[in-house]
Amino acid sequence: PIFIDKNKIYLDHIINESDGSYFELKERHLCKIDTSQAKNLVQPEDTSSDNAGQDNRNLCDEGTVNQVLQQEEIEQLKSEGVSGQSIISQLVSKSATFDKKTVFSQQKYLNKKKKKYIQIYRAWKPSIRLLCQAYTHDLQKIMYLRRDTLAMLLSLSNVNHGSNIAIVESCQGLILASAIQRCAGGDGLIFNLTPAGEHNSTSPCCDFMDFSSESTANVYTIPIENIGDTNAVERANQVKPKHEEPTEKSLQALARRQRRFDGLQLFEKTKLNSLIIASKYDSLSILQHLVDYLAISSHFVVYSQSIQTLLECYQFLKKHGGTIHVEVADSWLREYQ
């Protein structure tokens, strides 16, 4: 089960259904409904001015006096399988103040009850745009990276088919998933640089996208702290003697460790075409650590919520030399408070 809007929902009934299908929540299960029926249920109510009051000046919130239908009765109706539309009709008929409300207030009341008692969901195949939209309720997890900023980031970094890319991010894998989608099936390499080679920090969005093994064959997750350490591979290859019989779990761990070391060796031999940094850690130290791995005429982007961090990177690159067209940019779409 998953939780959406505090509802515990089982997804068994959406298996093998077509992309974009509509479902209504009934007893914690999603039941498929026709598109026309779904649109009729979710469209805003159109009420008549003949059965409405002129203003709301005489309305008073008197609790249970205004609404005869109690919460216990509503729960009983829901347990009996009564539709949300029927519950709303009973709420309207048993409301002492509905006819006295203005047309606008009546529409607002009906739309509010629709959202509560008629729960319609639409199932879509995951995409990068939809993932950006899904994280709008918790932007902190993706460092407030809006979809227009993500598009700008991918454009400036020149991520394309066949590129060798290094990514350091703290955005739930949103940037990594975008790069994998753009470079799927290419002969380039994608290096996911994380502290201690921990894949969990970038796995959520990649798991949602459900990439094929062919798309992720050129993706290597390696520890960023081992880059430039010439003795890291030698230390890792020192096999410790083990006397116990290997288990499936230990074999999987060994395979993951070997994958990291293979990626580390490849990284030291590869010149990068693109570098993307969007990390909650110190961007300047990461840039200083990785800038010399870039090939001639390659692109790099540093994203941060703080302009101070970007200015520090800007000043470093100006003093470091060897870079052209370095600028601090901002995306045009801004959310005002």
Side-chain angles (χ1 to χ4, degrees):
I2 62 171
F3 286 88
I4 302 178
D5 299 331
K6 298 181 180 180
N7 295 318
K8 187 177 182 180
I9 301 175
Y10 293 91
L11 305 178
D12 308 56
H13 294 173
I14 74 172
I15 297 174
N16 293 328
E17 296 293 348
S18 58
D19 190 25
S21 298
Y22 286 93
F23 300 88
E24 184 176 5
L25 182 61
K26 294 181 180 179
E27 297 180 357
R28 296 187 177 181
H29 286 276
L30 294 178
C31 301
K32 187 177 180 180
I33 58 176
D34 295 333
T35 303
S36 57
Q37 181 185 357
K39 291 182 177 180
N40 290 333
L41 289 174
V42 299
Q43 71 178 1
E45 287 290 337
D46 185 17
T47 55
S48 173
S49 58
D50 298 336
N51 299 322
Q54 296 300 317
D55 52 54
N56 295 333
R57 71 177 70 182
N58 296 322
L59 297 182
C60 297
D61 185 5
E62 299 180 5
T64 56
V65 177
N66 292 340
Q67 180 54 256
V68 180
L69 190 64
Q70 300 302 310
Q71 186 63 34
E72 294 78 10
E73 297 175 315
I74 295 175
E75 293 298 329
Q76 179 65 26
L77 291 172
K78 291 169 67 175
S79 63
E80 293 174 358
V82 177
S83 66
Q85 193 70 43
S86 300
I87 294 176
I88 295 174
S89 299
Q90 293 193 40
L91 285 170
V92 170
S93 63
K94 295 185 179 182
S95 173
T97 57
F98 183 81
D99 293 336
K100 300 176 184 178
K101 295 177 182 285
T102 63
V103 174
F104 176 80
S105 296
Q106 288 180 352
Q107 291 176 345
K108 184 178 178 181
Y109 177 85
L110 291 173
N111 292 333
K112 181 179 179 181
K113 296 305 178 183
K114 269 193 170 186
K115 287 183 178 180
K116 185 173 183 180
Y117 296 109
I118 303 178
Q119 293 167 323
I120 306 295
Y121 297 94
R122 196 174 188 185
W124 287 107
K125 182 180 179 180
S127 66
I128 300 300
R129 180 181 60 83
L130 289 176
L131 285 179
C132 288
Q133 185 177 345
Y135 277 105
T136 52
H137 69 283
D138 197 358
L139 286 169
Q140 185 177 0
K141 287 187 176 181
I142 57 173
M143 294 180 62
Y144 295 86
L145 184 65
R146 302 187 304 265
R147 56 187 177 185
D148 63 307
T149 312
L150 176 61
M152 183 179 180
L153 185 149
L154 293 173
S155 176
L156 293 175
S157 60
N158 197 35
V159 172
N160 56 68
H161 190 80
S163 298
N164 295 322
I165 310 160
I167 299 173
V168 187
E169 65 145 302
S170 304
C171 304
Q172 302 291 303
L174 184 61
I175 299 174
L176 177 62
S178 303
I180 294 174
Q181 188 182 55
R182 282 199 172 196
C183 304
D187 54 359
L189 299 172
I190 301 176
F191 298 102
N192 177 31
L193 310 181
T194 61
E198 184 59 49
H199 178 64
N200 293 339
S201 61
T202 56
S203 63
C205 287
C206 293
D207 291 342
F208 292 145
M209 293 297 293
D210 194 22
F211 292 115
S212 64
S213 56
E214 291 81 7
S215 299
T216 57
N218 60 340
V219 180
Y220 294 89
T221 301
I222 57 180
I224 190 172
E225 60 270 15
N226 288 348
I227 293 173
D229 186 356
T230 56
N231 299 322
V233 177
E234 286 75 5
R235 291 198 306 270
N237 287 332
Q238 293 177 0
V239 181
K240 297 180 180 180
K242 292 185 178 181
H243 303 290
E244 65 271 11
E245 197 69 27
T247 62
E248 183 180 354
K249 187 175 181 180
S250 63
L251 290 175
Q252 291 176 351
L254 182 62
R256 288 194 299 269
R257 191 160 57 247
Q258 185 61 46
R259 176 77 175 176
R260 288 200 299 267
F261 300 145
D262 292 342
L264 185 58
Q265 288 179 313
L266 281 172
F267 186 88
E268 297 295 342
K269 299 175 184 177
T270 304
K271 279 294 184 180
L272 301 174
N273 305 118
S274 300
L275 170 64
I276 302 175
I277 301 173
S279 176
K280 61 184 178 181
Y281 302 108
D282 185 15
S283 298
L284 176 60
S285 61
I286 296 172
L287 181 63
Q288 291 171 337
H289 196 45
L290 300 176
V291 69
D292 291 329
Y293 286 91
L294 288 166
I296 295 175
S297 297
S298 55
H299 298 70
F300 58 91
V301 177
V302 181
Y303 168 79
S304 175
Q305 298 169 244
S306 168
I307 193 172
Q308 181 64 31
T309 301
L310 299 180
L311 289 176
E312 291 174 355
C313 294
Y314 179 86
Q315 292 169 355
F316 161 72
L317 290 169
K318 287 296 185 181
K319 292 179 181 179
H320 180 270
T323 56
I324 59 171
H325 198 62
V326 181
E327 61 178 10
V328 179
D330 189 13
S331 53
W332 62 271
L333 180 60
R334 179 170 296 280
E335 181 177 334
Y336 286 93
Q337 186 175 359

